Amino acid sequence: MASISNEPEREHRDEEESGANEDEDTGAQVAPIIKLEEVAVTTGEENEDAILDLKSKLYRFDKDGSQWKERGAGTVKFLKHKESGKIRLVMRQSKTLKICANHLVTSGMSVQEHAGNDKSCVWHARDFSDGELKDELFCIRFASVENCKAFMQKFKEVADSEEEKEESKEASDTAGLLEKLTVEEKDTEEKKEEKPVEKVASAEAEKAVEEKKTDESVPSA
């Protein structure tokens, strides 16, 4: 009976000795069989700053089936380009990082709450997520009403800002055109004013020539 009760203690001692041997540093260094090199992964977002970043689930309306189809769950962002200042909406699936939505937010675009759900909203866009421009009707759903409101507010701010930029550019172009027309009209008027002076000078020269001829033709006394 004693030998049976001592057996687990013996196994425990053997494990300790084995563990001690494994922990010993032999000083040997084993070189890796395959050397892996670091690869830079680009997302296309390196020259942009995120001005909004929210977890959500995106749907698109299938016209053929007349129903909503899920595009994916992940993070939706508003990205502002560092140089051009243009802002686009981008959403990627959380695990695969596949693009679900990718389009510019431009003037004239609008977003509104989805009927019967204050955590969702809808909008139309010219989307490029599939590699070609398509007219899409999107619906996005958030975990909270607050996130949905924040998304809608930022969407409207960007669209309004783009509209103001277009109006400012149009006003600037109009002012430039009017200024150009004013300069051209001024040049035309100056040219018109110069012509009578030339005619008067020419008439005076002709009169002088005629008087000279008359003087020469009169015999001296």
Side-chain angles (χ1 to χ4, degrees):
M1 294 292 293
S3 61
I4 294 175
S5 62
N6 292 335
E7 189 66 25
E9 295 181 3
R10 180 181 175 184
E11 291 179 357
H12 182 65
R13 286 196 301 271
D14 291 341
E15 290 176 357
E16 288 181 346
E17 292 175 359
S18 175
N21 292 333
E22 290 177 356
D23 292 339
E24 289 181 1
D25 186 6
T26 60
Q29 295 182 353
V30 180
I33 298 175
I34 300 175
K35 185 178 180 181
L36 300 177
E37 296 181 356
E38 292 185 1
V39 178
V41 179
T42 58
T43 62
E45 302 174 10
E46 287 73 20
N47 293 325
E48 296 170 300
D49 295 321
I51 58 177
L52 188 72
D53 186 335
L54 296 170
K55 297 288 185 182
S56 57
K57 183 175 285 188
L58 185 70
Y59 302 83
R60 61 173 288 272
F61 188 74
D62 180 18
K63 297 177 183 177
D64 296 331
S66 295
Q67 60 181 339
W68 290 101
K69 288 190 175 181
E70 183 178 334
R71 290 283 286 178
T75 302
V76 63
K77 300 178 182 179
F78 285 105
L79 300 174
K80 183 175 183 179
H81 198 275
K82 295 178 181 178
E83 295 180 2
S84 68
K86 293 289 186 181
I87 298 176
R88 64 174 176 145
L89 181 151
V90 176
M91 181 169 175
R92 297 176 182 270
Q93 293 182 3
S94 56
K95 294 181 180 179
T96 63
L97 298 182
K98 181 181 177 181
I99 295 178
C100 307
N102 178 23
H103 65 80
L104 289 172
V105 180
T106 59
S107 64
M109 294 181 68
S110 62
V111 61
Q112 58 187 10
E113 184 179 302
H114 188 43
N117 192 335
D118 54 3
K119 295 180 182 178
S120 303
C121 55
V122 296
W123 73 96
H124 283 92
R126 293 273 288 167
D127 185 66
F128 196 73
S129 57
D130 292 331
E132 59 179 337
L133 284 174
K134 292 181 181 179
D135 290 323
E136 298 282 10
L137 174 59
F138 287 119
C139 176
I140 195 167
R141 187 176 69 193
F142 297 93
S144 67
V145 176
E146 290 74 19
N147 283 354
C148 185
K149 288 182 177 179
F151 174 85
M152 292 179 64
Q153 181 179 353
K154 183 58 66 176
F155 196 114
K156 291 176 180 178
E157 286 178 1
V158 174
D160 291 344
S161 175
E162 290 300 314
E163 187 171 356
E164 290 176 0
K165 288 180 183 178
E166 287 190 1
E167 290 177 353
S168 176
K169 184 178 183 302
E170 185 177 351
S172 178
D173 292 344
T174 302
L177 179 60
L178 291 173
E179 183 178 357
K180 182 180 179 182
L181 291 173
T182 302
V183 172
E184 290 178 351
E185 289 176 357
K186 185 178 180 181
D187 292 342
T188 303
E189 290 176 358
E190 289 178 352
K191 288 179 180 179
K192 287 181 179 179
E193 291 175 357
E194 290 174 358
K195 287 181 179 179
V197 175
E198 292 177 356
K199 289 182 178 180
V200 170
S202 178
E204 290 179 351
E206 290 178 359
K207 184 178 179 181
V209 171
E210 289 296 331
E211 289 178 351
K212 185 176 181 182
K213 288 181 179 180
T214 303
D215 293 341
E216 291 176 352
S217 61
V218 175
S220 57

